[in-house]
Amino acid sequence: MNLLKLKIYVCLFLLYSCSEDSPSYSNNDFSGPDGTDSDSNVIPHKEYSLDSFGNILNTEIMIEDFESAETCKDCHEQIYSQWKNSFHALSFKDPIFMSMWSSEKNSHPETGENYCIQCHAPAAFVANYSLEGIESSLDLNESDIPDIIKEGVSCDICHTMVKQSPTVHTGDNVAAVAEYFFNPGEGVKYGSIQDADCSSNAESDAHTDCEYLPLFKSSSSCKPCHDQTIRGMPIETTVSQWDQHQPLAMLGPSCQDCHMPKIGSYSSHYFAGVDLLFYDGVNENSEQYQQVVNLLEQSATIDLGYLNTVQDSIYIEDNILYIPITINNLTGHRLPSGTPFSREAWIEIKISDSNGNIIFEKGVLNNSFDEINHNDSDIILYTTILYDDENLEGNIIYEPSKALSYDDRTLRTLFHDSRIYEIELEDDLDGAITIEARMLFRSFKPQMLNQFHPTSLNNLPIIEVCSDSALVLIP
């Protein structure tokens, strides 16, 4: 989102907030004031039911109802290629997920399997397909389970969806409760193109018909996987963060506008977010890497000064250097979002004298896998911290199913954060002082990687989001 759009949304928000008759519901795309969905009574879906442990009791969905993404390749080669390199395609086979899933099954043997696969292998979940014997990516690759399961979140998972799912509110026993509204196996694919011509697919094995649903232009289509709470804690609530900001919920942009931008006549299916394939090293020339960097570079700005000031607000008085820093969140959700307990965004600041000697620094890491001290109040850090105690005490943990309290230090949606550094200078300094500030980001905390995938620690990438610098003359 650019700055012009940001200003427009803020203005609309102020106008909307001043209206005495402004409704309290979200008017985005297809939801009405009564909370109904215009498609809900039109297109049938296949149902399933769950017990209190998240196990399937009954299901109308057979695993054979879903088509492998391979069947889409002939007609949609570019889209298929993009999806193939996305984290949707890797959602089940990702080695970090596999390690966390194994831990989850050990710690919650009655609920741990379905709790994770409800989003990472949803076809297996709704079809009640047994995943016994799958403990690693190698097990998965060598198994003979259907491709639709190995493919994680593939074409049919989205394009047989006919209605928005509710937010997943996970209870204390961490049982799967996801509600999907799928209609697979009927020869129809649903999508965002109105008056689509499917006649060319008449002989296709994948489908013989296609239908437009406004759902596919709505952020609501990203539920339930990107909107979950556990024990009432907002563990992964990106859609709600967007929806609770009225200008965004009413007027957009939607999740798709940023994460599925238009490429010619179709939407990108890289589903670019902040995650990268880095386990064996990062390919900075890959399209995936460039998409992630581009998205991050548009997510925030940093300024050595106060918000909306034109005068120089950095000054020296009585040998104290005063440096205000303002960070603006330009995204449609909190920063970082997704799984903020695994992510970190922070400010690196370096101050050097006229000879290039460092006289002050914070947030500077010698290696990409160095840990950040969460208790250092001088470090500007955006993340969420999970605890195994109810009072923000006890041990810091990285498994949300075990969390009993959380410390949300993320930056609010379309909001700014201002801090000021006060640094005492040496008496003999002269000339000029150079100040450099950068916002840096990494998708995993080293502590989490060390627990679940330590072999990838050395390859953990850090990406620069934004930067600013200033030169201050010493009086």
Side-chain angles (χ1 to χ4, degrees):
M1 184 192 308
N2 59 40
L3 288 173
L4 177 59
K5 283 185 179 180
L6 172 61
K7 291 177 180 177
I8 292 173
Y9 294 134
V10 170
C11 291
L12 288 171
F13 172 66
L14 293 174
L15 288 172
Y16 182 78
S17 300
C18 292
S19 171
E20 293 181 0
D21 300 321
S22 59
S24 60
Y25 63 88
S26 169
N27 194 32
N28 184 62
D29 291 323
F30 61 93
S31 295
D34 59 353
T36 61
D37 171 339
S38 62
D39 301 304
S40 62
N41 298 318
V42 178
I43 301 174
H45 64 272
K46 297 182 177 180
E47 297 186 347
Y48 60 91
S49 60
L50 301 168
D51 65 16
S52 60
F53 294 100
N55 300 309
I56 298 285
L57 288 174
N58 299 286
T59 182
E60 297 177 341
I61 302 174
M62 306 294 290
I63 198 64
E64 294 79 14
D65 290 339
F66 292 104
E67 300 279 356
S68 165
E70 289 287 335
T71 63
C72 307
K73 184 177 180 179
D74 289 343
C75 297
H76 307 283
E77 186 174 358
Q78 287 181 303
I79 291 175
Y80 170 85
S81 177
Q82 292 170 359
W83 165 83
K84 186 77 172 177
N85 292 287
S86 75
F87 269 83
H88 275 185
L90 298 171
S91 65
F92 190 37
K93 63 185 67 173
D94 176 75
I96 297 177
F97 164 76
M98 278 291 181
S99 178
M100 295 189 72
W101 185 40
S102 178
S103 175
E104 192 62 39
K105 287 186 289 185
N106 289 332
S107 59
H108 296 93
E110 292 183 314
T111 61
E113 177 164 318
N114 274 2
Y115 165 66
C116 294
I117 70 161
Q118 65 181 331
C119 284
H120 285 261
F125 171 63
V126 298
N128 197 27
Y129 193 93
S130 174
L131 298 174
E132 186 177 354
I134 305 298
E135 300 294 336
S136 67
S137 299
L138 181 62
D139 292 338
L140 183 65
N141 292 334
E142 293 182 347
S143 72
D144 59 358
I145 67 174
D147 287 341
I148 180 65
I149 298 176
K150 294 180 180 180
E151 292 166 351
V153 181
S154 71
C155 310
D156 256 15
I157 300 303
C158 294
H159 292 286
T160 65
M161 182 170 53
V162 299
K163 180 182 174 182
Q164 71 172 1
S165 295
T167 298
V168 168
H169 295 292
T170 305
D172 191 57
N173 70 339
V174 200
V177 293
E179 294 181 62
Y180 291 103
F181 301 95
F182 291 144
N183 191 37
E186 302 302 313
V188 183
K189 307 299 180 190
Y190 307 92
S192 63
I193 300 176
Q194 291 180 277
D195 303 318
D197 180 12
C198 294
S199 58
S200 60
N201 292 327
E203 303 301 321
S204 170
D205 292 333
H207 62 101
T208 56
D209 196 8
C210 50
E211 292 189 26
Y212 164 75
L213 285 181
L215 165 69
F216 286 86
K217 292 185 177 180
S218 165
S219 294
S220 300
S221 64
C222 302
K223 291 182 177 180
C225 294
H226 297 285
D227 216 43
Q228 301 190 37
T229 70
I230 297 180
R231 304 184 185 96
M233 296 180 293
I235 295 300
E236 182 175 359
T237 55
T238 304
V239 178
S240 288
Q241 293 164 16
W242 175 92
D243 192 49
Q244 289 164 6
H245 198 285
Q246 289 182 332
L248 292 173
M250 291 180 63
L251 303 166
S254 66
C255 301
Q256 291 89 326
D257 289 327
C258 293
H259 298 281
M260 297 183 69
K262 286 291 184 181
I263 303 177
S265 61
Y266 64 90
S267 298
S268 168
H269 280 63
Y270 284 110
F271 305 102
V274 298
D275 289 306
L276 285 165
L277 285 173
F278 63 89
Y279 319 121
D280 299 317
V282 175
N283 179 7
E284 296 187 2
N285 296 318
S286 69
E287 181 67 20
Q288 185 207 44
Y289 181 84
Q290 295 302 322
Q291 291 253 343
V292 171
V293 170
N294 181 58
L295 198 66
L296 282 170
E297 287 178 345
Q298 298 179 63
S299 67
T301 60
I302 184 171
D303 296 286
L304 292 169
Y306 295 107
L307 186 68
N308 296 329
T309 58
V310 293
Q311 74 273 18
D312 185 7
S313 49
I314 303 173
Y315 65 96
I316 299 173
E317 184 177 286
D318 297 329
N319 262 22
I320 302 295
L321 174 63
Y322 295 88
I323 309 173
I325 297 180
T326 300
I327 303 97
N328 279 287
N329 177 6
L330 303 182
T331 72
H333 46 70
R334 298 181 80 96
L335 180 69
S337 189
T339 54
F341 57 88
S342 69
R343 315 193 192 286
E344 290 179 320
W346 72 98
I347 305 304
E348 173 197 85
I349 182 168
K350 293 181 180 180
I351 303 173
S352 53
D353 63 18
S354 56
N355 296 316
N357 300 312
I358 298 294
I359 58 177
F360 178 85
E361 62 180 17
K362 275 291 176 184
V364 177
L365 304 182
N366 295 320
N367 300 288
S368 65
F369 51 81
D370 287 347
E371 298 180 7
I372 294 176
N373 183 1
H374 296 162
N375 296 318
D376 188 343
S377 59
D378 285 336
I379 296 179
I380 303 175
L381 172 67
Y382 304 108
T383 188
T384 294
I385 302 174
L386 304 179
Y387 295 90
D388 63 0
D389 181 271
E390 294 182 351
N391 301 307
L392 299 180
E393 296 176 352
N395 299 309
I396 294 176
I397 58 175
Y398 302 96
E399 294 170 277
S401 66
K402 298 178 181 178
L404 298 179
S405 62
Y406 70 101
D407 182 9
D408 185 352
R409 302 185 186 182
T410 58
L411 184 54
R412 290 166 54 189
T413 306
L414 293 177
F415 204 70
H416 72 275
D417 180 25
S418 292
R419 307 282 185 93
I420 186 166
Y421 280 97
E422 299 180 14
I423 300 158
E424 187 174 357
L425 302 177
E426 299 289 339
D427 293 335
D428 57 353
L429 281 179
D430 57 13
I433 291 174
T434 301
I435 306 168
E436 299 172 290
R438 301 193 297 164
M439 172 179 269
L440 301 175
F441 173 86
R442 56 188 176 191
S443 57
F444 279 98
K445 296 174 181 175
Q447 301 95 315
M448 186 173 184
L449 277 185
N450 193 50
Q451 180 176 346
F452 293 109
H453 203 256
T455 58
S456 63
L457 265 174
N458 289 338
N459 298 319
L460 177 62
I462 291 178
I463 296 175
E464 179 181 309
V465 177
C466 51
S467 63
D468 195 16
S469 61
L471 192 68
V472 180
L473 295 177
I474 297 176

